[in-house]
Amino acid sequence: MVNADIEIETLAEFDQVVARGSLSGYRIQSVNLLERTFALLSADTSAAVFLGCAMEPDAAAKVRADGALVFPPVPDLPFNPYRGLLYTPEELFTGLPDGYEATPDALAYAWFQETKADTDVLSSMLRSIHDDAISDALDEHLVGARVVGVMGGHAMSRGGTDYRGAAELGRSLTRSGLTVATGGGPGAMEAANLGAYLAPAPDEALAEALELLAKAPSFTPSVSDWARAAFAVRERWPGGGDSVGIPTWFYGHEPPNAFAGHVAKYFANATREDGLLARSTAGVVFLPGAAGTVQEIFDNGTPNYYESRGEPAPMILVGRTHWTEHLPAWPLLRALARGRAMESRIALVDSVDEVPGVLASMS
């Protein structure tokens, strides 16, 4: 089993290790080594693995001769399949002043659209390598964190009371010491990440931020305007609180939101969905949503039912009328839970104001 302590993901980490004289057995992940030729020629690189590291030809020849495995960078890709760190909103939205279509996020989606059905094993392999690297980076980022998932639909408008409520929930959970994780997209997901981002700011910052965001209430018709409004909020309150967004290019028409401090974006939606729920070990809150949120309820309920991930994690459904009348998932969930360990770990509440207290009582 590979220990994260032998992974090198930044140039600073590389310099620290190579100063000790040996890179043997290390995994060097997506580090530009073009300026480190002398270090590579001098160090022991036996049994090392270089994943997407740019290096001069003589350095590459030497490390291969040492017995290292070298996976070279792939040219002309709009993403890095070997990346060692999670995305940031700034990275995904680079070039936004020229329009969303010019950003790395949009270009990666365009590549995915072109290749997902071409049956080319290289394309599918690159997507798989990328998603595995993202999962590795996500696990490293969340070590020691108490993660609570907030699920909800993408259609929630920035100007509505439900959006404000979801933002207040994200702020409250973050202030209580939890790490908020969402699907990373618009609507309820963005609102929860926004609340987490504004957690260090004064309470009145949220009302002002909502006014700024209401100028572009939805990502349709213009993703560019929607994203620019979010970055205007970030500029007004720099250095916000951290949270995690876990979106997917599978739903490329839904852009990632700019308020998650760290973004784990996947090509495979199934990997993304299961990974988000599995990492929400402190519980999951389900805001009113449609088919996607219903799927998430039972994707989370199934391992709780079988206890396949250990002790069942709390599940809180918000919106009594929504989950008992409009989309009656609650009666089925309650029936499944009856007589099992998860029975005391599920709850239905009327509003987001009740969530922190109910979650604390279940923990």
Side-chain angles (χ1 to χ4, degrees):
M1 181 175 178
V2 175
N3 190 319
D5 291 340
I6 64 171
E7 293 181 3
I8 297 174
E9 295 160 340
T10 67
L11 194 58
E13 291 175 349
F14 176 87
D15 289 340
Q16 289 173 3
V17 173
V18 83
R20 300 196 288 267
S22 178
L23 291 165
S24 180
Y26 278 87
R27 279 71 167 130
I28 303 90
Q29 195 169 349
S30 190
V31 180
N32 188 331
L33 300 176
L34 290 172
E35 301 297 326
R36 295 297 186 272
T37 299
F38 179 77
L40 291 169
L41 293 176
S42 305
D44 176 11
T45 58
S46 60
V49 179
F50 293 85
L51 298 166
C53 298
M55 60 182 85
E56 295 293 349
D58 53 344
K62 183 266 181 185
V63 300
R64 285 193 177 98
D66 277 355
L69 287 176
V70 178
F71 294 79
V74 182
D76 302 322
L77 276 182
F79 63 95
N80 178 3
Y82 305 111
R83 62 180 302 116
L85 303 172
L86 296 177
Y87 292 101
T88 65
E90 295 90 341
E91 180 183 2
L92 288 171
F93 285 101
T94 299
L96 183 62
D98 296 324
Y100 173 69
E101 296 75 14
T103 66
D105 186 67
L107 294 173
Y109 175 60
W111 177 88
F112 182 38
Q113 288 294 98
E114 292 172 2
T115 62
K116 67 181 181 180
D118 64 8
T119 69
D120 182 358
V121 67
L122 177 61
S123 298
S124 61
M125 183 185 71
L126 291 172
R127 292 194 296 268
S128 296
I129 291 172
H130 170 273
D131 286 1
D132 189 65
I134 288 293
S135 290
D136 181 65
L138 182 59
D139 285 336
E140 291 174 4
H141 176 71
L142 293 177
V143 168
R146 296 174 59 229
V147 181
V148 58
V150 179
M151 310 297 159
H154 68 268
M156 189 180 288
S157 172
R158 282 171 166 174
T161 57
D162 288 343
Y163 186 97
R164 174 188 286 272
E168 291 172 345
L169 173 63
R171 182 176 65 182
S172 176
L173 293 172
T174 302
R175 287 177 174 177
S176 72
L178 294 166
T179 296
V180 169
T182 78
M189 298 171 279
E190 180 189 58
N193 289 130
L194 167 66
Y197 183 85
L198 292 176
D203 286 354
E204 56 268 21
L206 179 57
E208 186 178 342
L210 293 174
E211 287 184 15
L212 291 172
L213 293 173
K215 297 175 181 178
S218 173
F219 63 95
T220 59
S222 172
V223 174
S224 299
D225 291 345
W226 175 84
R228 287 174 185 136
F231 279 98
V233 170
R234 290 173 57 95
E235 291 171 8
R236 173 69 178 82
W237 293 278
D242 191 28
S243 65
V244 174
I246 307 181
T248 173
W249 280 294
F250 184 80
Y251 297 130
H253 62 286
E254 295 181 20
N257 75 71
F259 295 113
H262 292 83
V263 182
K265 190 151 191 179
Y266 288 89
F267 288 104
N269 186 51
T271 304
R272 167 251 194 173
E273 289 274 9
D274 185 68
L276 170 55
L277 294 167
R279 291 173 176 87
S280 298
T281 52
V284 184
V285 181
F286 298 91
L287 301 174
T293 311
V294 172
Q295 177 182 337
E296 289 162 348
I297 290 173
F298 294 103
D299 279 349
N300 196 53
T302 299
N304 280 348
Y305 178 90
Y306 289 111
E307 298 183 60
S308 57
R309 294 177 183 151
E311 182 181 355
M315 298 176 65
I316 303 175
L317 278 60
V318 180
R320 192 173 302 272
T321 299
H322 184 82
W323 294 121
T324 60
E325 298 179 18
H326 296 163
L327 294 173
W330 171 252
L332 178 54
L333 182 65
R334 185 174 58 179
L336 284 170
R338 190 171 297 120
R340 305 188 76 87
M342 68 181 287
E343 187 172 17
S344 63
R345 313 284 283 175
I346 65 172
L348 175 67
V349 300
D350 289 308
S351 72
V352 293
D353 297 336
E354 302 171 68
V355 170
V358 172
L359 189 61
S361 71
M362 291 180 174
S363 301

